Amino acid sequence: MTEMQMVMTLTLSLAVPFGVQLIKTEAMSGTGARFMAIALSLIAGVVTGFVSGIPSDPASWVTCVFALVGGVQTAYTLFKGVGVTSKWLDALLGVEIGGRDE
């Protein structure tokens, strides 16, 4: 894993839980949000793999993908443990994206 991939992994590991909370709906359960976070982590891991060019071997892909999945799950667990999910992340549910005319 290159330095740029490491920075990208750390940044996305902290950002994906916030992104999941922004697209989470009231109808989605906590389990659904967790699976969405894992899916987004997999996608972000593939993107991270491309940061330094196309990885030359399968081990590099696996490293990028699973480092990001593990990082996101760890960040979410830590956020939940210190109350970030109940305050900051849940507050994002009220954020309106774009100006809707009503």
Side-chain angles (χ1 to χ4, degrees), residues 5-55:
Q5 287 172 325
M6 181 191 69
V7 169
M8 188 82 160
T9 298
L10 292 173
T11 303
L12 288 174
S13 291
L14 297 174
V16 167
F18 288 98
V20 169
Q21 198 68 19
L22 277 174
I23 59 178
K24 180 179 169 183
T25 64
E26 295 290 334
M28 184 182 296
S29 67
T31 302
R34 185 168 290 262
F35 281 119
M36 184 188 329
I38 291 171
L40 289 175
S41 300
L42 291 172
I43 293 167
V46 170
V47 170
T48 300
F50 283 120
V51 167
S52 303
I54 298 172

Side-chain angles (χ1 to χ4, degrees), residues 65-78:
V65 170
F66 284 106
L68 203 53
V69 170
V72 167
Q73 294 304 306
T74 301
Y76 187 79
T77 301
L78 291 172

